[in-house]
Amino acid sequence: MTPYDTVPYPSAIFRQAQPERMAMVARLHGLNPPDPATARYLEIGGGDGLHAMALAVAFPDASFVNFDLAPSAIARGQRWADAAGITNVRHLVLDILKAADQLEGPFDYIVAHGVYAWVPEVVRAAIPRLIARLLSPDGVAMISYNALPGGYSRMAVRGLLRSHLDPDLPPAEALAAARALLAEFAVPQAQDEPIIAAMRREAEAMQSRPGEVVFHDEMGDCYAPQSIGDVARACAEAGLCYLNESGKGLLRQSFAWDDAPEPEPAALVQQLEALDFAQGRYFRSSLFVHADRAPARRIDAVALGGLWASGHLREEAPGEFVAGDTRIEVADAALAGVLRALGREAPGRIALADLSLGYEHLLALFRLVDERMLDLHAVPAPFTLTPGERPLASPLIRMQIAEGRRVVATLDHRSAEIADPRARAFLALLDGSRDRDALARDFAATGQDGGVTVDAALAMVARGAMLLAERR
Ligand SMILES: C[S@@+](CC[C@H](N)C(=O)[O-])C[C@H]1O[C@@H](n2cnc3c(N)ncnc32)[C@H](O)[C@@H]1O
């Protein structure tokens, strides 16, 4: 029984931990990573494995292993996989310290998300060695961790909590006491020293996290935020080389630009660590490959032109594009045309090879990934925007709806809230057995159709990246 059995950690999916994203980055560095659609994937400390299951339904020809020390998390994941009929994921109760002997590799993509900074030193040290041993020759691994210096202010608030709270309180009472303390402490005071002001902002941010996350991440026994230098050195000792980041916003930093020479890995990591301290980095999702792969540090133009792009872009005025919180003005007509097309096609993907763009335009698109305007992908969309004869929604989504969950994992690996009872009732019917007449009849029989036609409902579900192409 582990603390994660006493208080379950919330299930989640992570866009930065998608093999297709890891492959996209590796290709830009001139590498030749395995095809994510048929790859072998390993998740280390993946909790109940929702993330691996969301990938598994999108890529049915790939195989997935998720392991975790907490038996209750693994049992939950197995129950969900059984209920959804997902057969290409194995969930295993396993200790990182014993996994090297018990898992049969190799794996093409290995992910340790949210584990590295939250385990004892001996377990942390075992993670790079485990990855190096199990990663296939061209494989890519991701380790995410609380970075420095952001981790320092979090550590300070964690110290505040641990110094005030009775360690013997049962979880629910400990959490309630922590919440009360955070709420009281977060209020700014006129005489605050800079360090206290930073701690109060941290306490404010902590209050918005789910209670289970605060319980483990802030109140658990282990918390050791890492500098990128620490992580890269531990990986180098195990025979792994730092590649880049898979989160947005930092991709550019690991490439050489203009006439600058390509940096050696150790020099690059030192530069990145200096930038982290200058910019106040909190979190990193760092990618690693075997050291002998020696990634190039100049963007591979051919690889870039072979990717797919997607973006939820709106053109609010001619040449003025908005995606989420980001707004840009684009004067270049060709680039604006691409962004317009991406907005029309979203969440669908456009093959850059079909656009006949020159290198400068391709680079402009690459830069927009860091601006959070669009995504680049190593593979075409694993979902369809065109409902077939007998439409089939993701079995994971149907299972999540049957379980009464409001938030589901879409096939473009986003968390989407489905609150509307009409959408929930309709999605539950999309098991690939019904044609449109049967859908209309059974949707009406749910009493939830509310006058929505089958075609309108299908269009909505397709635009939500929830439909699988029917297999031939
Ligand atoms: C903070 S949670 C993160 C869970 C999930 N990866 C995520 O990011 O949401 C840390 C996970 O690591 C697992 N863990 C801790 N020590 C472990 C070990 N020695 N072997 C395997 N899993 C371990 C815990 O059980 C827990 O599920």
Side-chain angles (χ1 to χ4, degrees), residues 382-388 391-394 411 430 458 461-462 465-469:
F383 52 87
T384 182
L385 297 178
T386 325
L392 175 65
S394 153
L411 293 163
L430 299 180
L458 279 175
V461 169
M466 298 184 198
L467 285 185
L468 284 165

Side-chain angles (χ1 to χ4, degrees), residues 354-434:
D354 293 343
L355 299 179
S356 314
L357 296 172
Y359 185 49
E360 286 308 318
H361 281 123
L362 288 171
L363 272 191
L365 290 177
F366 167 79
R367 289 195 192 96
L368 290 177
V369 177
D370 271 351
E371 304 291 329
R372 297 175 164 75
M373 293 298 288
L374 52 86
D375 275 323
L376 291 174
H377 311 269
V379 291
F383 52 87
T384 182
L385 297 178
T386 325
E389 192 92 331
R390 293 173 188 272
L392 175 65
S394 153
L396 182 64
I397 295 180
R398 285 186 283 116
M399 183 282 291
Q400 289 178 301
I401 284 181
E403 283 253 321
R405 304 214 158 225
R406 279 171 79 91
V407 176
V408 301
T410 66
L411 293 163
D412 63 349
H413 221 69
R414 290 173 197 276
S415 297
E417 184 171 350
I418 313 271
D420 187 334
R422 294 172 298 182
R424 297 176 72 83
F426 188 70
L427 273 163
L429 298 174
L430 299 180
D431 60 4
S433 71
R434 296 174 175 84

